[in-house]
Amino acid sequence: MSLLLSRLCFSKAARVPFLILSNSFSSSLLQTPPCAIISADSCGPDMGKLIISIANETDDTYLDKKVPLELMKKMGTVASSNGWVATLKDDGILRLQDDLNPVASDTNPKRIPLPPLETLPHCQTKIITNVSLSSSSPEDEDCVVAVKFLGPQISFCRPAQSNSGWTNVRIENPCFYSSRVMFSKKDEMFLMPGSGGHLIGSWDLRKRKPKTKIKRLRLRDFPELSKTKREILHSCCKSEHLVESRTTDETFLLKQYKKATSKIVKGVAQMKTEALMVFKLDQQGNAVYTNCIWGLCIFLSKAEPFCTHAGSFPGLIFNVVHLLDVDETGSVGLYSPSIHTWNSTSTVPYFIPPQNILD
């Protein structure tokens, strides 16, 4: 079923530009471009009007949509996936909210409480690494929510099911303790890279009691680096991220290298990306270095990473990884490679993936 790009239009309700995708088998599909959450302008004691940065525009967009200002604080949210943010308050209940989704209703926001968290022996559930949803909404009957905690525990639940409870798994291998989980639509399972990028853990929720399966990756065609560059990268903080292109069914492993700068903000050294490498995964367990992802672009932030086709949104540059964090924002051109980053103005460093709405 092919989707043909028709034209740009403008939503009066949300004041966010949309792409209309015409589909011969259904009604028109409205799709928002990717965007970044920047901040909110106070319009009352507890509420503010949302400010976003649309990926294919240069200036920030000021919306009429009102959001709770508490969500814009440093610890107001703990994670984000598919446009939903997760909050964890003093009552210990993890909630999924659509307040920061630019196209969601601000008069009737959705706040979905998850079951009370269960802590496995010798684990903790106070610090969350990230959250991943298997579908666009936790209200979908088959949606599975994965919560990765700092340390050995990962937990799963199905919020839309009446008898929903947590399925808790303890990960024995410590290289996954600080990793972030993602959902692979292609494989229909949750995946997570181990520290260093040589291992991938997986959980198949189609099975009643999912077990941790570990697959070894062979990093291939690693780029040649000068001695100086190798020394710089060895001194960096490293992190690994998995991201899937749902338009091409490709899976990529990103290795990000960040180094502390001389700039200190509130007693914390600001970090800057020194290098970012992309490896394409194949079915044989190889992760092959590439500086070309063709027409794709990747969005890497504190939210679950995602990938989109640049041609779907005029003005987006292809073969680029966009970055957003508490201390920097910018992009990495893969072919050069070139890194262009500057100080972040985002108080909630989340990229929001394209959102679909039926016309």
Side-chain angles (χ1 to χ4, degrees), residues 168-207:
N168 304 302
V169 178
R170 178 183 173 87
I171 307 169
E172 299 300 332
N173 193 320
C175 78
F176 294 102
Y177 284 5
S178 60
S179 299
R180 300 170 69 186
V181 65
M182 58 85 72
F183 180 74
S184 169
K185 188 174 182 179
K186 177 181 65 176
D187 299 322
E188 294 188 355
M189 61 180 63
F190 289 94
L191 306 177
M192 186 163 56
S195 177
H198 297 282
L199 299 175
I200 288 183
S202 64
W203 295 266
D204 188 348
L205 271 296
R206 292 169 295 185
K207 298 182 179 179

mmCIF file of all heavy atoms in Angstrom, residues 168-207:
data_model
loop_
_atom_site.group_PDB
_atom_site.id
_atom_site.type_symbol
_atom_site.label_atom_id
_atom_site.label_comp_id
_atom_site.label_asym_id
_atom_site.label_seq_id
_atom_site.Cartn_x
_atom_site.Cartn_y
_atom_site.Cartn_z
ATOM 1 N N ASN A 168 8.426 -9.046 35.800
ATOM 2 C CA ASN A 168 9.734 -8.523 36.183
ATOM 3 C C ASN A 168 10.834 -9.515 35.850
ATOM 4 O O ASN A 168 10.707 -10.707 36.109
ATOM 5 C CB ASN A 168 9.760 -8.203 37.680
ATOM 6 C CG ASN A 168 8.664 -7.231 38.079
ATOM 7 O OD1 ASN A 168 8.583 -6.125 37.559
ATOM 8 N ND2 ASN A 168 7.800 -7.646 39.002
ATOM 9 N N VAL A 169 11.901 -9.004 35.265
ATOM 10 C CA VAL A 169 13.020 -9.846 34.858
ATOM 11 C C VAL A 169 14.304 -9.265 35.430
ATOM 12 O O VAL A 169 14.544 -8.058 35.342
ATOM 13 C CB VAL A 169 13.131 -9.942 33.318
ATOM 14 C CG1 VAL A 169 14.339 -10.782 32.912
ATOM 15 C CG2 VAL A 169 11.851 -10.511 32.722
ATOM 16 N N ARG A 170 15.105 -10.124 36.016
ATOM 17 C CA ARG A 170 16.430 -9.707 36.497
ATOM 18 C C ARG A 170 17.472 -10.071 35.445
ATOM 19 O O ARG A 170 17.551 -11.226 35.004
ATOM 20 C CB ARG A 170 16.766 -10.378 37.828
ATOM 21 C CG ARG A 170 18.155 -10.013 38.349
ATOM 22 C CD ARG A 170 18.507 -10.749 39.630
ATOM 23 N NE ARG A 170 19.889 -10.510 39.995
ATOM 24 C CZ ARG A 170 20.310 -9.480 40.727
ATOM 25 N NH1 ARG A 170 19.425 -8.614 41.185
ATOM 26 N NH2 ARG A 170 21.589 -9.327 41.010
ATOM 27 N N ILE A 171 18.254 -9.089 35.019
ATOM 28 C CA ILE A 171 19.305 -9.293 34.022
ATOM 29 C C ILE A 171 20.609 -9.575 34.768
ATOM 30 O O ILE A 171 21.069 -8.754 35.563
ATOM 31 C CB ILE A 171 19.465 -8.058 33.125
ATOM 32 C CG1 ILE A 171 18.111 -7.658 32.524
ATOM 33 C CG2 ILE A 171 20.483 -8.320 32.016
ATOM 34 C CD1 ILE A 171 18.125 -6.303 31.845
ATOM 35 N N GLU A 172 21.199 -10.718 34.512
ATOM 36 C CA GLU A 172 22.393 -11.115 35.248
ATOM 37 C C GLU A 172 23.647 -10.402 34.752
ATOM 38 O O GLU A 172 24.550 -10.110 35.525
ATOM 39 C CB GLU A 172 22.581 -12.628 35.169
ATOM 40 C CG GLU A 172 21.426 -13.425 35.776
ATOM 41 C CD GLU A 172 21.216 -13.115 37.256
ATOM 42 O OE1 GLU A 172 22.191 -12.747 37.942
ATOM 43 O OE2 GLU A 172 20.063 -13.212 37.719
ATOM 44 N N ASN A 173 23.729 -10.129 33.447
ATOM 45 C CA ASN A 173 24.947 -9.540 32.887
ATOM 46 C C ASN A 173 25.011 -8.051 33.216
ATOM 47 O O ASN A 173 24.157 -7.274 32.800
ATOM 48 C CB ASN A 173 24.966 -9.750 31.364
ATOM 49 C CG ASN A 173 26.322 -9.454 30.765
ATOM 50 O OD1 ASN A 173 26.998 -8.508 31.156
ATOM 51 N ND2 ASN A 173 26.732 -10.258 29.793
ATOM 52 N N PRO A 174 26.041 -7.605 33.941
ATOM 53 C CA PRO A 174 26.108 -6.194 34.371
ATOM 54 C C PRO A 174 26.325 -5.199 33.228
ATOM 55 O O PRO A 174 26.147 -4.002 33.438
ATOM 56 C CB PRO A 174 27.297 -6.177 35.333
ATOM 57 C CG PRO A 174 28.116 -7.371 34.976
ATOM 58 C CD PRO A 174 27.157 -8.403 34.493
ATOM 59 N N CYS A 175 26.677 -5.665 32.031
ATOM 60 C CA CYS A 175 26.894 -4.711 30.942
ATOM 61 C C CYS A 175 25.579 -4.093 30.464
ATOM 62 O O CYS A 175 25.589 -3.144 29.679
ATOM 63 C CB CYS A 175 27.635 -5.372 29.779
ATOM 64 S SG CYS A 175 26.637 -6.401 28.714
ATOM 65 N N PHE A 176 24.428 -4.592 30.946
ATOM 66 C CA PHE A 176 23.130 -4.030 30.592
ATOM 67 C C PHE A 176 22.567 -3.116 31.686
ATOM 68 O O PHE A 176 21.464 -2.582 31.529
ATOM 69 C CB PHE A 176 22.117 -5.150 30.323
ATOM 70 C CG PHE A 176 22.433 -5.979 29.110
ATOM 71 C CD1 PHE A 176 23.008 -7.231 29.247
ATOM 72 C CD2 PHE A 176 22.154 -5.515 27.838
ATOM 73 C CE1 PHE A 176 23.299 -8.001 28.131
ATOM 74 C CE2 PHE A 176 22.432 -6.279 26.717
ATOM 75 C CZ PHE A 176 23.011 -7.527 26.862
ATOM 76 N N TYR A 177 23.274 -2.937 32.781
ATOM 77 C CA TYR A 177 22.704 -2.240 33.929
ATOM 78 C C TYR A 177 22.326 -0.787 33.629
ATOM 79 O O TYR A 177 21.356 -0.273 34.189
ATOM 80 C CB TYR A 177 23.667 -2.288 35.112
ATOM 81 C CG TYR A 177 23.716 -3.634 35.815
ATOM 82 C CD1 TYR A 177 23.015 -4.728 35.321
ATOM 83 C CD2 TYR A 177 24.473 -3.819 36.965
ATOM 84 C CE1 TYR A 177 23.056 -5.962 35.951
ATOM 85 C CE2 TYR A 177 24.510 -5.044 37.614
ATOM 86 C CZ TYR A 177 23.808 -6.122 37.100
ATOM 87 O OH TYR A 177 23.863 -7.341 37.728
ATOM 88 N N SER A 178 23.072 -0.098 32.767
ATOM 89 C CA SER A 178 22.759 1.298 32.454
ATOM 90 C C SER A 178 22.228 1.467 31.033
ATOM 91 O O SER A 178 22.131 2.592 30.534
ATOM 92 C CB SER A 178 24.007 2.179 32.645
ATOM 93 O OG SER A 178 25.051 1.749 31.787
ATOM 94 N N SER A 179 21.853 0.367 30.381
ATOM 95 C CA SER A 179 21.404 0.415 28.985
ATOM 96 C C SER A 179 19.954 0.865 28.864
ATOM 97 O O SER A 179 19.190 0.833 29.828
ATOM 98 C CB SER A 179 21.570 -0.971 28.338
ATOM 99 O OG SER A 179 22.919 -1.371 28.332
ATOM 100 N N ARG A 180 19.596 1.264 27.649
ATOM 101 C CA ARG A 180 18.239 1.723 27.350
ATOM 102 C C ARG A 180 17.552 0.712 26.437
ATOM 103 O O ARG A 180 18.133 0.220 25.472
ATOM 104 C CB ARG A 180 18.289 3.097 26.680
ATOM 105 C CG ARG A 180 18.952 4.153 27.547
ATOM 106 C CD ARG A 180 19.196 5.432 26.770
ATOM 107 N NE ARG A 180 17.944 6.112 26.436
ATOM 108 C CZ ARG A 180 17.880 7.183 25.656
ATOM 109 N NH1 ARG A 180 18.974 7.668 25.112
ATOM 110 N NH2 ARG A 180 16.712 7.745 25.401
ATOM 111 N N VAL A 181 16.288 0.448 26.733
ATOM 112 C CA VAL A 181 15.524 -0.541 25.985
ATOM 113 C C VAL A 181 14.773 0.130 24.841
ATOM 114 O O VAL A 181 14.422 1.314 24.919
ATOM 115 C CB VAL A 181 14.534 -1.292 26.918
ATOM 116 C CG1 VAL A 181 13.480 -0.348 27.477
ATOM 117 C CG2 VAL A 181 13.897 -2.480 26.209
ATOM 118 N N MET A 182 14.552 -0.602 23.742
ATOM 119 C CA MET A 182 13.747 -0.109 22.628
ATOM 120 C C MET A 182 12.889 -1.249 22.107
ATOM 121 O O MET A 182 13.188 -2.426 22.343
ATOM 122 C CB MET A 182 14.616 0.458 21.499
ATOM 123 C CG MET A 182 15.626 -0.506 20.905
ATOM 124 S SD MET A 182 15.010 -1.604 19.578
ATOM 125 C CE MET A 182 14.816 -0.469 18.222
ATOM 126 N N PHE A 183 11.803 -0.897 21.398
ATOM 127 C CA PHE A 183 10.939 -1.917 20.818
ATOM 128 C C PHE A 183 11.206 -2.035 19.331
ATOM 129 O O PHE A 183 11.227 -1.031 18.608
ATOM 130 C CB PHE A 183 9.460 -1.602 21.042
ATOM 131 C CG PHE A 183 8.545 -2.650 20.445
ATOM 132 C CD1 PHE A 183 8.415 -3.897 21.054
ATOM 133 C CD2 PHE A 183 7.839 -2.408 19.280
ATOM 134 C CE1 PHE A 183 7.594 -4.866 20.503
ATOM 135 C CE2 PHE A 183 7.007 -3.361 18.722
ATOM 136 C CZ PHE A 183 6.889 -4.609 19.340
ATOM 137 N N SER A 184 11.428 -3.270 18.891
ATOM 138 C CA SER A 184 11.626 -3.552 17.479
ATOM 139 C C SER A 184 10.323 -4.070 16.893
ATOM 140 O O SER A 184 9.883 -5.179 17.229
ATOM 141 C CB SER A 184 12.739 -4.587 17.278
ATOM 142 O OG SER A 184 12.760 -5.045 15.935
ATOM 143 N N LYS A 185 9.710 -3.258 16.018
ATOM 144 C CA LYS A 185 8.482 -3.695 15.369
ATOM 145 C C LYS A 185 8.766 -4.821 14.388
ATOM 146 O O LYS A 185 7.957 -5.730 14.197
ATOM 147 C CB LYS A 185 7.834 -2.517 14.647
ATOM 148 C CG LYS A 185 6.449 -2.815 14.088
ATOM 149 C CD LYS A 185 5.798 -1.570 13.512
ATOM 150 C CE LYS A 185 4.404 -1.878 13.001
ATOM 151 N NZ LYS A 185 3.743 -0.654 12.449
ATOM 152 N N LYS A 186 9.952 -4.782 13.774
ATOM 153 C CA LYS A 186 10.331 -5.813 12.818
ATOM 154 C C LYS A 186 10.434 -7.177 13.487
ATOM 155 O O LYS A 186 9.940 -8.176 12.972
ATOM 156 C CB LYS A 186 11.673 -5.443 12.169
ATOM 157 C CG LYS A 186 12.219 -6.474 11.205
ATOM 158 C CD LYS A 186 13.556 -6.026 10.632
ATOM 159 C CE LYS A 186 14.615 -5.940 11.704
ATOM 160 N NZ LYS A 186 15.951 -5.589 11.151
ATOM 161 N N ASP A 187 11.065 -7.225 14.656
ATOM 162 C CA ASP A 187 11.264 -8.493 15.371
ATOM 163 C C ASP A 187 10.156 -8.781 16.369
ATOM 164 O O ASP A 187 10.114 -9.866 16.954
ATOM 165 C CB ASP A 187 12.617 -8.481 16.090
ATOM 166 C CG ASP A 187 13.787 -8.332 15.134
ATOM 167 O OD1 ASP A 187 13.716 -8.921 14.032
ATOM 168 O OD2 ASP A 187 14.754 -7.628 15.470
ATOM 169 N N GLU A 188 9.288 -7.800 16.621
ATOM 170 C CA GLU A 188 8.212 -7.909 17.603
ATOM 171 C C GLU A 188 8.741 -8.311 18.980
ATOM 172 O O GLU A 188 8.224 -9.213 19.635
ATOM 173 C CB GLU A 188 7.137 -8.899 17.126
ATOM 174 C CG GLU A 188 6.380 -8.416 15.890
ATOM 175 C CD GLU A 188 5.200 -9.306 15.549
ATOM 176 O OE1 GLU A 188 5.022 -10.341 16.222
ATOM 177 O OE2 GLU A 188 4.443 -8.962 14.630
ATOM 178 N N MET A 189 9.787 -7.627 19.400
ATOM 179 C CA MET A 189 10.342 -7.866 20.733
ATOM 180 C C MET A 189 11.121 -6.637 21.178
ATOM 181 O O MET A 189 11.433 -5.756 20.374
ATOM 182 C CB MET A 189 11.225 -9.113 20.751
ATOM 183 C CG MET A 189 12.436 -9.062 19.842
ATOM 184 S SD MET A 189 13.424 -10.592 19.948
ATOM 185 C CE MET A 189 12.265 -11.800 19.340
ATOM 186 N N PHE A 190 11.394 -6.584 22.472
ATOM 187 C CA PHE A 190 12.192 -5.505 23.023
ATOM 188 C C PHE A 190 13.671 -5.871 22.942
ATOM 189 O O PHE A 190 14.056 -7.017 23.219
ATOM 190 C CB PHE A 190 11.788 -5.218 24.468
ATOM 191 C CG PHE A 190 10.440 -4.554 24.585
ATOM 192 C CD1 PHE A 190 9.285 -5.303 24.790
ATOM 193 C CD2 PHE A 190 10.323 -3.177 24.480
ATOM 194 C CE1 PHE A 190 8.049 -4.697 24.887
ATOM 195 C CE2 PHE A 190 9.082 -2.562 24.580
ATOM 196 C CZ PHE A 190 7.948 -3.318 24.782
ATOM 197 N N LEU A 191 14.489 -4.880 22.575
ATOM 198 C CA LEU A 191 15.921 -5.073 22.426
ATOM 199 C C LEU A 191 16.675 -4.051 23.268
ATOM 200 O O LEU A 191 16.177 -2.960 23.536
ATOM 201 C CB LEU A 191 16.345 -4.924 20.960
ATOM 202 C CG LEU A 191 15.641 -5.786 19.907
ATOM 203 C CD1 LEU A 191 16.149 -5.438 18.519
ATOM 204 C CD2 LEU A 191 15.851 -7.267 20.197
ATOM 205 N N MET A 192 17.898 -4.427 23.651
ATOM 206 C CA MET A 192 18.711 -3.517 24.447
ATOM 207 C C MET A 192 20.188 -3.805 24.201
ATOM 208 O O MET A 192 20.625 -4.953 24.301
ATOM 209 C CB MET A 192 18.380 -3.677 25.937
ATOM 210 C CG MET A 192 19.068 -2.669 26.832
ATOM 211 S SD MET A 192 18.278 -2.574 28.470
ATOM 212 C CE MET A 192 18.371 -4.292 28.999
ATOM 213 N N PRO A 193 20.978 -2.773 23.866
ATOM 214 C CA PRO A 193 22.409 -2.991 23.653
ATOM 215 C C PRO A 193 23.169 -3.031 24.970
ATOM 216 O O PRO A 193 22.841 -2.299 25.913
ATOM 217 C CB PRO A 193 22.819 -1.772 22.821
ATOM 218 C CG PRO A 193 21.898 -0.689 23.297
ATOM 219 C CD PRO A 193 20.590 -1.367 23.637
ATOM 220 N N GLY A 194 24.164 -3.883 25.035
ATOM 221 C CA GLY A 194 25.032 -3.909 26.199
ATOM 222 C C GLY A 194 26.110 -2.853 26.082
ATOM 223 O O GLY A 194 26.398 -2.339 24.996
ATOM 224 N N SER A 195 26.722 -2.504 27.196
ATOM 225 C CA SER A 195 27.801 -1.523 27.195
ATOM 226 C C SER A 195 28.930 -2.000 26.287
ATOM 227 O O SER A 195 29.373 -3.146 26.366
ATOM 228 C CB SER A 195 28.316 -1.328 28.622
ATOM 229 O OG SER A 195 29.401 -0.437 28.639
ATOM 230 N N GLY A 196 29.357 -1.119 25.402
ATOM 231 C CA GLY A 196 30.383 -1.476 24.433
ATOM 232 C C GLY A 196 29.823 -1.869 23.086
ATOM 233 O O GLY A 196 30.522 -1.843 22.080
ATOM 234 N N GLY A 197 28.537 -2.260 23.056
ATOM 235 C CA GLY A 197 27.884 -2.577 21.800
ATOM 236 C C GLY A 197 28.156 -3.960 21.249
ATOM 237 O O GLY A 197 27.809 -4.244 20.097
ATOM 238 N N HIS A 198 28.754 -4.846 22.056
ATOM 239 C CA HIS A 198 29.076 -6.183 21.560
ATOM 240 C C HIS A 198 27.973 -7.205 21.850
ATOM 241 O O HIS A 198 28.023 -8.329 21.344
ATOM 242 C CB HIS A 198 30.394 -6.669 22.177
ATOM 243 C CG HIS A 198 31.571 -5.819 21.801
ATOM 244 N ND1 HIS A 198 32.192 -5.913 20.584
ATOM 245 C CD2 HIS A 198 32.213 -4.833 22.480
ATOM 246 C CE1 HIS A 198 33.187 -5.042 20.525
ATOM 247 N NE2 HIS A 198 33.212 -4.375 21.662
ATOM 248 N N LEU A 199 27.001 -6.822 22.675
ATOM 249 C CA LEU A 199 25.912 -7.729 23.029
ATOM 250 C C LEU A 199 24.566 -7.032 22.849
ATOM 251 O O LEU A 199 24.463 -5.813 23.024
ATOM 252 C CB LEU A 199 26.037 -8.207 24.485
ATOM 253 C CG LEU A 199 27.293 -8.988 24.881
ATOM 254 C CD1 LEU A 199 27.279 -9.266 26.383
ATOM 255 C CD2 LEU A 199 27.401 -10.278 24.099
ATOM 256 N N ILE A 200 23.534 -7.807 22.504
ATOM 257 C CA ILE A 200 22.165 -7.306 22.468
ATOM 258 C C ILE A 200 21.292 -8.270 23.263
ATOM 259 O O ILE A 200 21.288 -9.481 23.003
ATOM 260 C CB ILE A 200 21.636 -7.185 21.029
ATOM 261 C CG1 ILE A 200 22.308 -6.025 20.305
ATOM 262 C CG2 ILE A 200 20.121 -6.949 21.035
ATOM 263 C CD1 ILE A 200 21.785 -5.787 18.900
ATOM 264 N N GLY A 201 20.569 -7.733 24.239
ATOM 265 C CA GLY A 201 19.595 -8.526 24.972
ATOM 266 C C GLY A 201 18.225 -8.380 24.333
ATOM 267 O O GLY A 201 17.905 -7.334 23.761
ATOM 268 N N SER A 202 17.414 -9.420 24.409
ATOM 269 C CA SER A 202 16.075 -9.362 23.806
ATOM 270 C C SER A 202 15.064 -10.061 24.695
ATOM 271 O O SER A 202 15.406 -10.994 25.445
ATOM 272 C CB SER A 202 16.079 -9.983 22.408
ATOM 273 O OG SER A 202 16.380 -11.365 22.471
ATOM 274 N N TRP A 203 13.799 -9.597 24.592
ATOM 275 C CA TRP A 203 12.696 -10.164 25.354
ATOM 276 C C TRP A 203 11.492 -10.282 24.433
ATOM 277 O O TRP A 203 11.030 -9.272 23.879
ATOM 278 C CB TRP A 203 12.361 -9.285 26.566
ATOM 279 C CG TRP A 203 13.476 -9.249 27.552
ATOM 280 C CD1 TRP A 203 13.646 -10.036 28.648
ATOM 281 C CD2 TRP A 203 14.603 -8.370 27.522
ATOM 282 N NE1 TRP A 203 14.812 -9.719 29.295
ATOM 283 C CE2 TRP A 203 15.422 -8.697 28.625
ATOM 284 C CE3 TRP A 203 15.010 -7.350 26.663
ATOM 285 C CZ2 TRP A 203 16.606 -8.024 28.894
ATOM 286 C CZ3 TRP A 203 16.193 -6.686 26.919
ATOM 287 C CH2 TRP A 203 16.981 -7.027 28.032
ATOM 288 N N ASP A 204 10.983 -11.493 24.274
ATOM 289 C CA ASP A 204 9.841 -11.763 23.409
ATOM 290 C C ASP A 204 8.595 -11.839 24.272
ATOM 291 O O ASP A 204 8.387 -12.826 24.999
ATOM 292 C CB ASP A 204 10.057 -13.074 22.641
ATOM 293 C CG ASP A 204 8.991 -13.313 21.578
ATOM 294 O OD1 ASP A 204 7.975 -12.595 21.598
ATOM 295 O OD2 ASP A 204 9.171 -14.217 20.753
ATOM 296 N N LEU A 205 7.758 -10.800 24.212
ATOM 297 C CA LEU A 205 6.579 -10.724 25.073
ATOM 298 C C LEU A 205 5.417 -11.563 24.559
ATOM 299 O O LEU A 205 4.347 -11.613 25.176
ATOM 300 C CB LEU A 205 6.141 -9.267 25.247
ATOM 301 C CG LEU A 205 6.786 -8.496 26.417
ATOM 302 C CD1 LEU A 205 6.373 -9.123 27.743
ATOM 303 C CD2 LEU A 205 8.297 -8.464 26.300
ATOM 304 N N ARG A 206 5.616 -12.240 23.431
ATOM 305 C CA ARG A 206 4.597 -13.175 22.963
ATOM 306 C C ARG A 206 4.621 -14.445 23.809
ATOM 307 O O ARG A 206 3.659 -15.207 23.819
ATOM 308 C CB ARG A 206 4.817 -13.507 21.488
ATOM 309 C CG ARG A 206 4.558 -12.343 20.548
ATOM 310 C CD ARG A 206 5.033 -12.621 19.154
ATOM 311 N NE ARG A 206 6.483 -12.776 19.098
ATOM 312 C CZ ARG A 206 7.184 -12.940 17.980
ATOM 313 N NH1 ARG A 206 6.552 -12.967 16.824
ATOM 314 N NH2 ARG A 206 8.499 -13.068 18.012
ATOM 315 N N LYS A 207 5.718 -14.635 24.526
ATOM 316 C CA LYS A 207 5.828 -15.774 25.431
ATOM 317 C C LYS A 207 5.355 -15.370 26.814
ATOM 318 O O LYS A 207 5.538 -14.237 27.246
ATOM 319 C CB LYS A 207 7.276 -16.270 25.462
ATOM 320 C CG LYS A 207 7.762 -16.771 24.103
ATOM 321 C CD LYS A 207 9.180 -17.294 24.181
ATOM 322 C CE LYS A 207 9.647 -17.817 22.826
ATOM 323 N NZ LYS A 207 11.038 -18.322 22.867
#
